[in-house]
Amino acid sequence: MYGTHERRPRAALWWSVASELLERSSLLADLDRGLAETGSGGRIALVSGEAGIGKSALVRRFIQQHDGDTRVLVGLCDPLLTPRTLGPLYDIAAQTGGALAGQMAAEAGREVIFSALLDELAHCRRPQVVVVEDVHWADEATLDLLVFLGRRLERLPALLVVSYRDDELDLDHPLRTVLGDLPPERTRHLRPAPLSEAAVAELARRAGRQSAGLHATTGGNPLLVTEVLAANEPGVPRAVSALTLARFAALDPAAQEAVRFVAVIPTRAELWLLQEALHADSGVVEECVTAGLLVLADETIGFRHELNRRALEESLSTLRRRELNQQALTVLSAADRGTDIARLAHHAREAGDTPAVLRYAPAAAAKAEALGAHREAVGHYRAALRHADRLSPPKRAGLLEGYSYNGYLIGIIDEALAARQAALEIWESANQREKAGENLRWLSRLHWWAGQRNEAEAAAARAITTLELGEPGRQLAMAYSNQSQLDMLADRTAAAIGWGSRALVLARRIGDRETLAHALTNIGSARLHDGDPAGRAELTEAIDVAIDEKLPDHAARALVNLAFTSVENHDYPRAAHYVERALEFALTHDLNAYAQYLTGTRAWTRLDLGDWAGAESDARQALKEREQPGTSVVPALCTLGRLQARRGDPRASLTLDEAARRAFDSGELQRIGPVAAARAEHAWLRGDRENTAAEAIRGFELAVERRHRWFAGELAWWLRRAGQRPRVPEWVAEPYRFLLSGDWRRAADAWEALGHPYDQADALSCGDEDAALRALALFDGLGAAAAAQQVRRMLRSRGRLRVPRGPRPATVGNPAHLTARQLQILHLLAAGKRNAEIAARLSLSVRTVDHHVAAVLSKLGVGSRDQAAPAARLLGIVLPQDRQPDDPD
């Protein structure tokens, strides 16, 4: 144990000099307001900014101000090669003890652990602050935890403070999706700004230094200002690394060795670890702290900032870095202190210790997978597979299977396929039929998910053939059910029911409840697709079995199929109930892929029912989620593309091209039908009859073959409008049967009865002049600029002199449908203004501007402010870059 230090180190002295945290009072006040508001439910404060801008200092000061009257729980994310699974939650559990700590120690399932955290927070009677720092390094399970808490804020009397570096977030960083999922009405954004020139000068004065050139060199970054003012040499050094290394060079050899060791420990090193690895005494530790390089806190020691640690670590030779990591690994692995397995795997990799990598990485992968951190599991499996040639074939195949499964769950389908194929070859070479059959079934699933229907069918057939050579068991039952699912998705009802029934018989015989739920879902869905309402009973049984067996994925699939079948058959009163029920279930169980699909499906219903704002919101929300491969986003893409086409938005082509790329290779009518119809409509609205027919024919014959009354009717109607004469079955849906027979009045009435205003207007546009005027009013009311323009041209061609003008010019040429205020914001974004400058210009709060900017980016369909101006110029709604927007009224 080390005693306290009487002499305060230079770093601590510096922070005490700047104790009031210059120019941070408004941010602290905002945090105070957030904490005060938790009496009516939880709040979130997102603290973001570049490295060294003072995020951690701000949070620390806020905590200090409430010390004694507030419960504070702090969790840290570490910059490990592969992050600790739920690392911050382990930190928090160590502080709470009790049931949460017990569940973490027992390595309970993620749902149990998350619920334990909820209980821990819900039963505290004091104000609470929960801090999760550096979430740009967070593992997937921690990101899911943030979403989980965000969805349950009303039940949590706590302020959740989340800090991250926004300059390290790529456009596809998973944190971006998480931030978009947090409830905006309960979330505040705090972004510490660089210190002003006056503040930097004041700090220099207090430190007894000259301030000339200091602000220009540091940009007002508090960390850089601190390092420069704490440096002994004259002048202004150019980088943190130079300052850190200069301070390091002044230490005694023993202190230097301690600093080197701490540099290879991400975040902080335990004092016992430093002592056991180097036998360092308290004098060595005190010298490191006094020099301002390291800081003591809660029996740990570390650098004041990650940038300082990296500077030291990167100065080490490869050989020295490996030696130090090996020292850390040796002590950590020998100590009975519950060291996280991911930490051991990190040091094994950094030490280049292959046997240790093969010992710890697979175990870390298994733990990550069990807690739902599939991205981290993939990282650990990758590390182990680099040395898989040292393993026996069965162990190598096991690693490949784990890598493939987790890769499938995070959407790296090509890599998942390759790994599964390699595992299959190992099992086939060893003549292990059951394992080979299992991997063939997985190959079928992966090929289907990638939109490769033919390959999926071939692998499914091989799986059944292989497994039927052995004893009937669970793998054969699942192979039968997998084939049933493929047939159901391809509308081969008899085959789907046949294979599903074989799966049911075997599953019941061997007591396999999971396969039972899977097969019931396939059979019920096939019946419903075929118009047999008895399918609902089988889907309901599948849901009950899955819930009883705690199989939320299977329950969600059955709920999704109930919902989607109702939507594609335009049974919207029933569909509304099923979609909301399925979506609530998916969100409650954090099944984000299903929630993404269902949100896109709800967008489809809202578009048809005339709620275009709701449809756009849902479609964009679905497309904001972490992208899934294959067809899961087709409903959202199709809905957004149709909406854009009807509004005359030129982005419709790109959206519908992406929908086609995903849908047409699937061979499934439920994907192909809507996309073919949307692309035919888009061509029609552009006045391109040839492509209207070409797009419609891509789905028409399949729709007729599968006897889908709605898709067949709609695609036949587009062919007829394009001048074709397709043979139309009598069984097509009623509104299209009326249109195809020339009875536009009854078609319009049928659409009105269904509550489809756009389709009603489209039918009316085929009628007389009075009907066309009614259509025009409906189109204008919806904002369907492209369709309205066609009707206006038609009326003028018929000789009508007075045609209603429609929307004001301010709305025309604004296909993104920005409000007047959002247009002002967009003009200022195009001029390169930051949010604080925009707020001052428009006399708004920065928080209000944050919300406006987020709305502008969403409507433009871009992920960053830098992309806003190019996207807007493409639409012709931004002033040229060299012109300043007029001051607002």
Side-chain angles (χ1 to χ4, degrees):
M1 296 291 292
Y2 296 96
T4 57
H5 301 280
E6 293 300 325
R7 223 159 21 107
R8 186 175 292 193
R10 186 200 314 256
L13 177 62
W14 163 247
W15 284 109
S16 72
V17 167
S19 60
E20 68 268 37
L21 287 184
L22 295 180
E23 301 181 335
R24 298 296 186 255
S25 59
S26 63
L27 296 176
L28 289 168
D30 213 0
L31 287 169
D32 287 339
R33 284 190 291 272
L35 181 59
E37 291 167 3
T38 58
S40 59
R43 295 294 187 271
I44 299 174
L46 301 176
V47 183
S48 63
E50 65 183 6
I53 200 65
K55 302 180 294 296
S56 295
L58 176 70
V59 174
R60 282 197 301 269
R61 178 52 46 83
F62 171 65
I63 291 171
Q64 289 168 3
Q65 288 180 348
H66 292 277
D67 186 28
D69 62 1
T70 300
R71 183 196 200 192
V72 177
L73 302 171
V74 180
L76 305 178
C77 300
D78 307 314
L80 298 174
L81 292 175
T82 301
R84 289 186 300 155
T85 303
L86 292 177
L89 192 50
Y90 275 94
D91 295 341
I92 289 170
Q95 298 159 56
T96 65
L100 175 59
Q103 297 291 2
M104 299 293 288
E107 297 189 355
R110 190 172 75 164
E111 199 167 311
V112 173
I113 290 172
F114 286 8
S115 296
L117 175 62
L118 276 185
D119 291 342
E120 179 68 40
L121 297 177
H123 293 106
C124 181
R125 297 180 181 276
R126 299 164 59 201
Q128 298 177 93
V129 176
V130 180
V131 178
V132 184
E133 287 230 59
D134 295 322
V135 294
H136 51 281
W137 291 323
D139 64 288
E140 184 178 9
T142 296
L143 294 180
D144 288 342
L145 174 63
L146 295 179
V147 174
F148 177 87
L149 293 175
R151 289 172 178 164
R152 295 158 179 82
L153 275 180
E154 291 183 4
R155 300 162 47 189
L156 298 180
L159 173 64
L160 176 61
V161 180
V162 177
S163 72
Y164 62 96
R165 293 186 196 167
D166 54 7
D167 59 338
E168 292 199 7
L169 300 186
D170 296 331
L171 287 177
D172 60 350
H173 195 293
L175 177 57
R176 290 192 181 276
T177 301
V178 172
L179 298 177
D181 281 341
L182 299 176
E185 70 280 3
R186 292 180 176 270
T187 303
R188 47 186 17 100
H189 297 259
L190 288 73
R191 198 171 192 280
L195 298 176
S196 68
E197 193 162 353
V200 171
E202 172 62 15
L203 294 174
R205 184 189 66 77
R206 295 180 184 182
R209 299 287 298 278
Q210 294 295 315
S211 65
L214 182 55
H215 186 272
T217 301
T218 63
N221 182 289
L223 175 67
L224 295 178
V225 174
T226 300
E227 293 291 340
V228 169
L229 293 179
N232 289 323
E233 69 246 34
V236 182
R238 306 178 86 182
V240 170
S241 59
L243 294 161
T244 304
L245 294 174
R247 205 174 299 172
F248 171 80
L251 296 174
D252 290 339
Q256 286 186 347
E257 187 64 8
V259 170
R260 289 191 191 99
F261 182 77
V262 174
V264 302
I265 310 294
T267 309
R268 305 188 65 78
E270 297 87 346
L271 289 175
W272 66 262
L273 173 60
L274 182 63
Q275 189 175 39
E276 291 188 23
L278 302 181
H279 306 292
D281 59 28
S282 59
V284 169
V285 172
E286 182 166 354
E287 182 179 353
C288 297
V289 174
T290 303
L293 273 171
L294 302 181
V295 177
L296 280 170
D298 299 327
E299 298 298 316
T300 65
I301 190 166
F303 288 85
R304 286 193 301 111
H305 197 279
E306 174 65 10
L307 292 178
N308 303 103
R309 188 193 72 80
R310 285 186 182 177
L312 253 300
E313 185 183 36
E314 290 168 3
S315 74
L316 300 173
S317 68
T318 300
L319 181 60
R320 191 74 186 99
R321 190 158 57 242
R322 285 184 175 182
E323 290 173 347
L324 290 166
N325 275 282
Q326 189 67 62
Q327 278 183 277
L329 177 63
T330 300
V331 175
L332 288 169
S333 59
D336 185 19
R337 295 178 181 264
T339 303
D340 193 294
I341 195 75
R343 192 173 172 190
L344 297 176
H346 168 86
H347 287 298
R349 290 166 67 181
E350 288 287 82
D353 186 340
T354 298
V357 170
L358 291 173
R359 184 181 315 121
Y360 297 124
K367 179 179 179 181
E369 178 184 321
L371 292 172
H374 302 292
R375 198 174 304 277
E376 284 61 47
V378 163
H380 290 304
Y381 278 123
R382 276 181 180 151
L385 283 168
R386 291 190 186 101
H387 311 286
D389 58 331
R390 301 194 180 194
L391 297 174
S392 66
K395 287 186 177 180
R396 189 162 67 250
L399 289 181
L400 288 164
E401 289 170 344
Y403 180 64
S404 178
Y405 174 69
N406 286 277
Y408 154 71
L409 291 175
I410 68 170
I412 51 172
I413 295 300
D414 289 343
E415 294 178 50
L417 274 166
R420 188 65 68 170
Q421 183 65 46
L424 171 63
E425 290 168 3
I426 291 173
W427 295 124
E428 286 182 329
S429 297
N431 199 30
Q432 295 286 327
R433 286 199 191 98
E434 186 168 1
K435 293 297 293 183
E438 179 185 1
N439 278 273
L440 281 165
R441 175 176 63 80
W442 266 108
L443 276 175
S444 173
R445 177 67 177 170
L446 291 168
H447 280 303
W448 176 83
W449 199 247
Q452 300 164 359
R453 159 65 64 166
N454 293 336
E455 292 86 346
E457 298 271 12
R462 283 183 63 199
I464 291 172
T465 300
T466 299
L467 290 164
E468 283 184 334
L469 294 173
E471 283 293 315
R474 180 180 184 279
Q475 292 303 330
L476 180 59
M478 277 302 295
Y480 288 154
S481 194
N482 177 67
Q483 184 61 61
S484 172
Q485 182 179 11
L486 288 172
D487 289 325
M488 177 269 291
L489 291 166
D491 296 294
R492 298 190 293 254
T493 303
I497 293 173
W499 287 111
S501 298
R502 294 176 73 173
L504 281 183
V505 170
L506 182 52
R508 286 194 166 111
R509 193 172 86 205
I510 63 177
D512 181 1
R513 301 274 286 170
E514 182 176 4
T515 301
L516 177 66
H518 193 269
L520 282 168
T521 299
N522 298 332
I523 295 171
S525 300
R527 291 195 199 281
L528 268 187
H529 277 296
D530 203 42
D532 182 355
R536 289 194 189 91
E538 283 151 329
L539 284 168
T540 300
E541 184 183 355
I543 294 166
D544 292 341
V545 170
I547 290 175
D548 286 346
E549 297 298 318
K550 294 182 172 55
L551 299 169
D553 185 81
H554 290 284
R557 188 170 78 93
L559 285 164
V560 167
N561 287 5
L562 263 178
F564 190 82
T565 303
S566 301
V567 170
E568 70 174 6
N569 285 303
H570 294 252
D571 184 5
Y572 284 156
R574 186 176 274 120
H577 167 71
Y578 287 147
V579 168
E580 293 303 326
R581 180 188 175 194
L583 189 55
E584 180 182 4
F585 184 90
L587 292 172
T588 299
H589 291 82
D590 297 298
L591 298 169
N592 293 331
Y594 284 118
Q596 180 183 43
Y597 185 78
L598 286 161
T599 304
T601 300
R602 188 172 66 183
W604 177 355
T605 70
R606 288 178 164 175
L607 180 69
D608 280 352
L609 296 175
D611 178 11
W612 285 17
E616 181 177 17
S617 175
D618 274 348
R620 292 196 183 281
Q621 178 62 36
L623 295 172
K624 272 197 328 185
E625 295 294 324
R626 277 174 269 185
E627 184 171 331
Q628 301 292 326
T631 59
S632 62
V633 294
V634 167
L637 286 167
C638 190
T639 299
L640 183 60
R642 283 196 116 139
L643 188 59
Q644 290 169 333
R646 292 171 181 181
R647 288 173 169 171
D649 187 334
R651 293 171 296 180
S653 295
L654 291 175
T655 304
L656 292 174
D657 283 349
E658 178 64 13
R661 184 184 70 78
R662 292 170 177 266
F664 286 129
D665 286 344
S666 71
E668 295 169 8
L669 180 61
Q670 63 176 309
R671 326 293 179 195
I672 294 171
V675 174
R679 290 174 66 84
E681 179 182 356
H682 183 218
W684 173 260
L685 290 171
R686 296 196 318 267
D688 186 348
R689 287 194 170 198
E690 182 178 349
N691 274 317
T692 300
E695 296 291 353
I697 202 65
R698 296 175 78 177
F700 174 67
E701 293 176 357
L702 183 62
V704 171
E705 176 191 332
R706 305 286 166 81
R707 294 182 64 85
H708 197 293
R709 52 199 297 264
W710 288 96
F711 292 155
E714 183 175 11
L715 293 165
W717 173 234
W718 287 118
L719 287 168
R720 178 70 60 82
R721 294 181 98 169
Q724 306 292 311
R725 286 289 180 265
R727 179 176 294 180
V728 182
E730 294 181 356
W731 42 259
V732 299
E734 189 176 75
Y736 294 115
R737 189 168 71 248
F738 292 146
L739 282 169
L740 289 160
S741 67
D743 192 345
W744 58 266
R745 285 188 179 85
R746 293 180 70 188
D749 290 343
W751 286 124
E752 185 176 19
L754 287 168
H756 291 214
Y758 183 89
D759 295 301
Q760 178 191 358
D762 199 35
L764 288 169
S765 72
C766 301
D768 56 27
E769 187 173 297
D770 287 342
L773 288 170
R774 286 178 59 201
L776 186 58
L778 284 169
F779 283 144
D780 283 341
L782 289 167
Q789 187 179 36
Q790 282 194 340
V791 174
R792 285 188 172 86
R793 280 200 299 263
M794 179 189 67
L795 286 168
R796 293 188 183 104
S797 70
R798 292 179 181 179
R800 183 174 179 86
L801 297 178
R802 301 186 65 182
V803 178
R805 289 181 58 188
R808 294 182 303 161
T811 306
V812 178
N814 178 14
H817 290 262
L818 301 173
T819 66
R821 177 65 82 188
Q822 289 166 355
L823 281 170
Q824 287 179 320
I825 299 285
L826 177 56
H827 293 164
L828 290 163
L829 285 175
K833 303 297 183 185
R834 310 305 296 176
N835 287 15
E837 296 173 299
I838 295 172
R841 185 93 179 247
L842 301 180
S843 299
L844 299 172
S845 71
V846 174
R847 186 177 176 192
T848 299
V849 171
D850 289 341
H851 289 309
H852 280 309
V853 169
V856 168
L857 298 183
S858 176
K859 288 187 175 181
L860 290 173
V862 297
S864 73
R865 60 195 301 121
D866 295 332
Q867 297 172 315
R873 289 191 185 95
L874 182 64
L875 298 173
I877 57 175
V878 177
L879 297 175
Q881 191 172 22
D882 58 346
R883 289 174 54 194
Q884 293 294 325
D886 294 336
D887 286 331
D889 294 333

